[in-house]
């Protein structure tokens, strides 16, 4: 199990961090504030890829907290040893943090995966100070997530003994529209500030060579037919538009003063 986890996160680091870094960077113009120290939460910080990025947007005396439900990911985030930064184990659906504590709440690629997005948003509202700002980013609608579609198509076509894996991206698009995000966040009490969508290009240099090293899928490459299916997918992709990309919707919000 531990090995599986380790391999899984190393895959994430190699193939997903180049994209999630861009997600964090896209938020900078909307969240940055250098005038005075702030208290900032990276909600669902994972391995901590966003922590050093976020830190650059704020006054150097700001306090940054990363929270995640996965202790092994947090251990990696903690090992970054960033100044004025702590990482805390926690569930975004039920945070053990006081009300009105953070000036900024930043969540990248979380609402696409959690069981109850409205609960996460309600907790975000609770822990943000009046006048504070929250930012969420989620996958754009399926048709603009070529990279995700590729994984889904692979799952559909591949010869899998464990059929459960075929639906493991099932919730990925549960918040994938401005309308849904605006509705969920206004129900929680947030004021809408801004929403935009960006198409992020996957630039992992050895992306093709490392095709889908995701351990949940890798064992299926033991079947040569699945390798052929993957090669066919890449060939299809080359005929369309390259390189693979994935769209994200970003929303920023304010807690009324
Ligand atoms: C797709 S990763 C995103 C990580 C990081 N924000 C990034 O953009 O690279 C999703 C993260 O959310 C965490 N997560 C999922 N459900 C959670 C929950 N209920 N509470 C806290 N963290 C959660 C996972 O452990 C994982 O680190």
């Amino acid at each position: 199990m531990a090995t599986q986890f380790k391999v899984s996160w190393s895959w994430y680091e190699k193939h997903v961090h180049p994209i999630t870094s861009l997600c964090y960077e896209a938020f900078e113009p909307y969240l940055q504030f250098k005038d005075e120290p702030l208290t900032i939460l990276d909600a669902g910080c994972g391995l901590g890829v966003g922590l050093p990025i976020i830190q650059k947007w704020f006054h150097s005396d700001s306090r940054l907290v990363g929270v995640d439900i996965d202790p092994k990911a947090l251990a990696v985030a903690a090992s970054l040893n960033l100044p004025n930064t702590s990482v805390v184990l926690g569930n975004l659906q039920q945070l053990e943090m006081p009300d009105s504590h953070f000036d900024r709440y930043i969540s990248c690629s979380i609402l696409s995966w959690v069981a109850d997005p409205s609960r996460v948003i309600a907790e975000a509202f609770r822990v943000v100070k009046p006048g504070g700002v929250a930012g969420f980013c989620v996958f754009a609608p399926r048709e603009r997530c070529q990279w995700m579609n590729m994984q889904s198509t692979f799952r559909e076509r591949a010869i899998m003994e464990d059929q459960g894996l075929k639906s493991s991206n099932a919730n990925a698009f549960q918040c994938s529209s401005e309308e849904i995000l605006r509705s969920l966040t206004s129900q929680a009490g947030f004021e809408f500030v801004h929403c935009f969508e960006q198409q992020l290009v996957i630039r992992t240099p050895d992306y093709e060579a490392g095709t889908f090293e995701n351990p949940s899928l890798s064992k299926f490459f033991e079947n040569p037919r699945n390798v052929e299916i993957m090669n066919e997918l890449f060939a299809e992709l080359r005929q369309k538009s390259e390189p693979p990309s994935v769209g994200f919707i970003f929303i920023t919000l304010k807690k009324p003063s």
Side-chain angles (χ1 to χ4, degrees):
M1 196 62 192
T3 313
Q4 172 84 348
F5 170 85
K6 200 167 164 227
V7 179
S8 172
W9 276 117
S10 72
W11 172 83
Y12 191 91
E13 195 170 11
K14 187 169 169 191
H15 294 291
V16 185
H17 275 182
I19 310 153
T20 54
S21 307
L22 296 174
C23 283
Y24 281 101
E25 281 162 12
F27 264 135
E28 176 172 5
Y30 306 94
L31 300 177
Q32 71 146 332
F33 188 79
K34 291 206 186 242
D35 293 1
E36 61 190 68
L38 298 184
T39 308
I40 305 131
L41 181 66
D42 182 3
C45 64
L47 302 178
V49 65
L51 296 172
I53 299 172
I54 293 170
Q55 212 169 34
K56 284 189 260 163
W57 312 338
F58 296 101
H59 190 284
S60 57
D61 290 333
S62 293
R63 302 282 326 163
L64 177 57
V65 179
V67 70
D68 203 281
I69 205 164
D70 188 325
K72 288 175 182 150
L74 274 187
V76 177
S79 71
L80 298 175
N81 275 322
L82 296 169
N84 293 338
T85 303
S86 53
V87 296
V88 182
L89 193 65
N91 184 345
L92 297 171
Q93 299 182 153
Q94 198 172 5
L95 286 167
E96 288 179 21
M97 285 158 180
D99 295 357
S100 304
H101 189 68
F102 293 100
D103 299 287
R104 294 286 186 282
Y105 175 107
I106 303 161
S107 148
C108 279
S109 304
I110 303 300
L111 297 182
S112 307
W113 302 111
V114 292
D116 187 351
S118 61
R119 185 76 215 123
V120 171
I121 296 167
E123 274 295 84
F125 186 81
R126 183 183 69 74
V127 299
V128 168
K129 290 178 187 170
V133 175
F136 294 92
C137 84
V138 298
F139 290 119
R142 185 183 286 280
E143 61 273 17
R144 294 196 285 283
C145 287
Q146 188 192 35
W147 189 57
M148 295 287 289
N149 286 338
M150 200 172 153
Q151 296 186 38
S152 302
T153 310
F154 177 73
R155 282 191 169 91
E156 280 157 28
R157 293 188 195 172
I159 297 149
M160 294 189 178
E161 280 144 39
D162 177 359
Q163 295 298 311
L165 277 169
K166 294 210 174 212
S167 60
S168 64
N169 279 346
N171 292 341
F173 300 100
Q174 64 186 349
C175 292
S176 295
S177 80
E178 177 173 346
E179 197 184 0
I180 293 171
L181 288 170
R182 286 182 74 146
S183 161
L184 288 174
T185 52
S186 75
Q187 277 164 31
F190 280 114
E191 270 173 17
F192 173 75
V193 178
H194 191 64
C195 188
F196 61 101
E197 185 175 322
Q198 272 190 18
Q199 202 68 25
L200 304 179
V201 172
I202 316 282
R203 295 198 185 279
T204 318
D206 58 352
Y207 188 71
E208 285 200 43
T211 50
F212 289 88
E213 286 174 13
N214 186 335
S216 68
L217 298 178
S218 62
K219 68 176 172 158
F220 300 106
F221 292 116
E222 287 163 16
N223 181 330
R225 177 60 197 133
N226 283 341
V227 176
E228 280 171 31
I229 290 168
M230 182 49 72
N231 287 335
E232 284 162 21
L233 272 172
F234 273 112
E236 284 171 26
L237 207 65
R238 270 192 291 274
Q239 279 171 1
K240 293 183 200 161
S241 60
E242 270 197 289
S245 66
V246 57
F248 282 92
I249 301 176
F250 300 80
I251 189 166
T252 56
L253 308 139
K254 192 173 166 191
K255 180 165 172 174
S257 300

